[in-house]
Amino acid sequence: MITGDTLPKKEVAQTTVVYEEAVCDLGVFAVNESREAVFTLKNTGRQPLLVADVTTSCGCATPRYDKKPVKPGDSMEIRVAMNIKEEGYFEKSISVYCNISEAPVQFKIKGAVVNKESQ
């Protein structure tokens, strides 16, 4: 039977998360030195936490995270390696797209990069 109706889209069950720090200050480090920021999300809801994507505001930030669902009560880490090639203060944004009503979760990474050879 053809009715012209489309199948309803499957809704992803929503959950809730908490995190301690929304801003990570990496301090002062040298040009081309790599530093890593770590953000922890804890699933406080009743459904698995599903992270669809993690985006950054620049190519100098490389996120890594486990793509498996996070069970209720469990936590996950999002690690962001920073490799900045220019001197100066920086503040970069990290967006975590997941199945929570207030997605994306926004994190910030800040610090200062110096040229140690010129000091």
Side-chain angles (χ1 to χ4, degrees):
M1 173 188 254
I2 300 175
T3 63
D5 291 339
T6 59
L7 293 173
K9 291 183 179 176
K10 183 179 177 186
E11 296 265 336
V12 176
Q14 299 288 297
T15 192
T16 56
V17 297
V18 295
Y19 48 90
E20 289 184 21
E21 299 292 327
V23 178
C24 180
D25 188 343
L26 295 178
V28 178
F29 58 102
V31 172
N32 290 323
E33 178 184 342
S34 184
R35 290 272 175 105
E36 185 175 73
V38 180
F39 300 100
T40 302
L41 287 174
K42 180 174 182 177
N43 184 353
T44 56
R46 295 185 176 164
Q47 301 297 325
L49 172 63
L50 307 170
V51 175
D53 197 15
V54 176
T55 62
T56 63
S57 62
C58 74
C60 60
T62 307
R64 289 187 348 258
Y65 59 97
D66 192 348
K67 298 182 179 38
K68 293 185 227 168
V70 179
K71 295 177 187 174
D74 286 352
S75 298
M76 72 171 297
E77 287 185 342
I78 298 171
R79 297 180 167 276
V80 184
M82 299 297 296
N83 190 2
I84 304 206
K85 299 184 184 324
E86 297 176 3
E87 291 182 67
Y89 175 81
F90 68 88
E91 185 171 307
K92 306 297 180 186
S93 299
I94 310 300
S95 300
V96 180
Y97 294 89
C98 52
N99 59 324
I100 63 171
S101 60
E102 58 276 356
V105 177
Q106 298 287 330
F107 294 110
K108 296 238 183 261
I109 301 172
K110 64 182 182 175
V113 177
V114 297
N115 185 347
K116 299 238 175 173
E117 294 171 4
S118 66
Q119 290 183 343

